[in-house]
């Protein structure tokens, strides 16, 4: 039996983070799976972090992508025929404006950029707040369970635990383990950012 299998033995839901199987190293994935199986890190926590992180990256990529149309709109002299023939991104922008019944102008393009940047900042703030709250909750729950487990253990086992070692375990190591949530979130955001900007580059590239 492998080390990872032994660590997750008896865990009710060791596959909660299976979506990150190829992305997250086992050194991070296994402790997170254990936290999930213990009920400390729930699907609700993971879902909120996943949604807010994804939304933040999408808004960031979209906002950055919309700066290019603003510059090219001025450069091409507001000639929509030239612009739509130049890239898929401009074809998409023209189609969206036509669907909404709004004429394409420098004002509307600028307002879209400002709106996307503002929404990105709001989503990023909320995502950081959610991740930090989840990290603190996880660290606190781990420390509580470790403290309770120590008090409920045999007297000879408690005597073997040094005061400094016990404080280090409760205060530092439990919260250090909870910090894996931040690492996992960062890995997801980096991967999604790479993919998002790749899509933007394809859309903004001149048509052959």
């Amino acid at each position: 039996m492998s080390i990872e299998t032994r660590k997750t033995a008896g865990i009710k839901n060791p596959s909660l983070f299976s979506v990150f199987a190829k992305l997250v190293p086992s050194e991070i994935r296994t402790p997170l799976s254990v936290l999930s199986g213990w009920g400390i890190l729930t699907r609700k926590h993971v879902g909120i972090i996943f949604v807010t992180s994804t939304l933040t990256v999408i808004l960031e990529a979209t906002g950055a992508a919309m700066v290019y149309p603003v510059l090219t709109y001025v450069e091409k002299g507001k000639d929509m025929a030239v612009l739509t023939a130049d890239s898929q991104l401009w074809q998409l922008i023209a189609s969206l404006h036509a669907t909404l019944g709004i004429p394409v102008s420098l004002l509307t393009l600028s307002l879209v950029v400002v709106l996307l940047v503002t929404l990105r900042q709001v989503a990023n703030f909320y995502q950081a707040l959610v991740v930090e709250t989840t990290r603190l909750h996880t660290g606190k729950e781990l420390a509580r369970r470790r403290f309770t487990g120590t008090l409920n253990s045999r007297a000879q086992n408690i005597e073997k635990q040094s005061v400094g070692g016990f404080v280090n375990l409760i205060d530092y190591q439990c919260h250090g383990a909870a910090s894996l949530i931040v690492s996992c979130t960062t890995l997801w955001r980096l991967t999604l950012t790479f993919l998002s900007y790749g899509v933007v580059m394809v859309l903004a590239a001149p048509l052959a």
Side-chain angles (χ1 to χ4, degrees), residues 60-76:
E60 177 183 345
T62 308
M66 285 302 298
V67 174
Y68 171 75
V70 173
L71 298 177
T72 55
Y73 184 76
V74 176
E75 180 186 0
K76 301 296 183 180

Side-chain angles (χ1 to χ4, degrees), residues 19-195:
V19 67
F20 301 114
K22 300 300 182 181
L23 174 63
V24 181
S26 60
E27 291 82 0
I28 296 178
R29 186 173 66 251
T30 300
L32 291 178
S33 298
V34 172
L35 292 176
S36 169
W38 286 347
I40 298 176
L41 192 60
T42 64
R43 288 182 180 272
K44 179 180 179 181
H45 292 139
V46 176
I48 294 176
I49 292 175
F50 175 81
V51 170
T52 54
S53 299
T54 302
L55 180 61
T56 300
V57 173
I58 291 176
L59 289 172
E60 177 183 345
T62 308
M66 285 302 298
V67 174
Y68 171 75
V70 173
L71 298 177
T72 55
Y73 184 76
V74 176
E75 180 186 0
K76 301 296 183 180
K78 306 178 183 180
D79 190 337
M80 290 301 299
V82 176
L83 291 169
T84 53
D86 187 54
S87 71
Q88 298 180 59
L89 182 58
W90 262 110
Q91 293 177 1
L92 179 60
I93 292 172
S95 177
L96 290 175
H97 277 75
T99 302
L100 297 175
I102 303 174
V104 179
S105 66
L106 184 60
L107 176 61
T108 58
L109 293 174
S110 300
L111 287 177
V112 169
V113 172
V114 172
L115 177 62
L116 289 172
V117 171
T118 302
L119 290 176
R120 186 263 178 191
Q121 292 300 105
V122 173
N124 189 54
F125 172 79
Y126 182 71
Q127 185 261 340
L129 187 63
V130 169
V131 170
E132 187 62 19
T133 301
T134 304
R135 184 190 69 81
L136 291 174
H137 162 77
T138 303
K140 179 181 178 181
E141 184 62 21
L142 279 173
R144 186 190 68 80
R145 294 193 181 193
R146 184 65 183 88
F147 183 79
T148 302
T150 301
L151 293 182
N152 293 335
S153 64
R154 296 178 180 179
Q156 56 267 34
N157 293 332
I158 298 178
E159 292 175 354
K160 294 178 182 178
Q161 182 73 60
S162 65
V163 177
F166 182 69
V167 172
N168 177 65
L169 181 62
I170 295 296
D171 191 20
Y172 293 101
Q173 294 190 28
C174 287
H175 288 281
S179 295
L180 291 175
I181 297 172
V182 180
S183 301
C184 194
T185 303
T186 302
L187 287 174
W188 168 246
R189 288 190 59 170
L190 289 175
T191 302
L192 192 59
T193 299
F194 174 77
L195 295 175

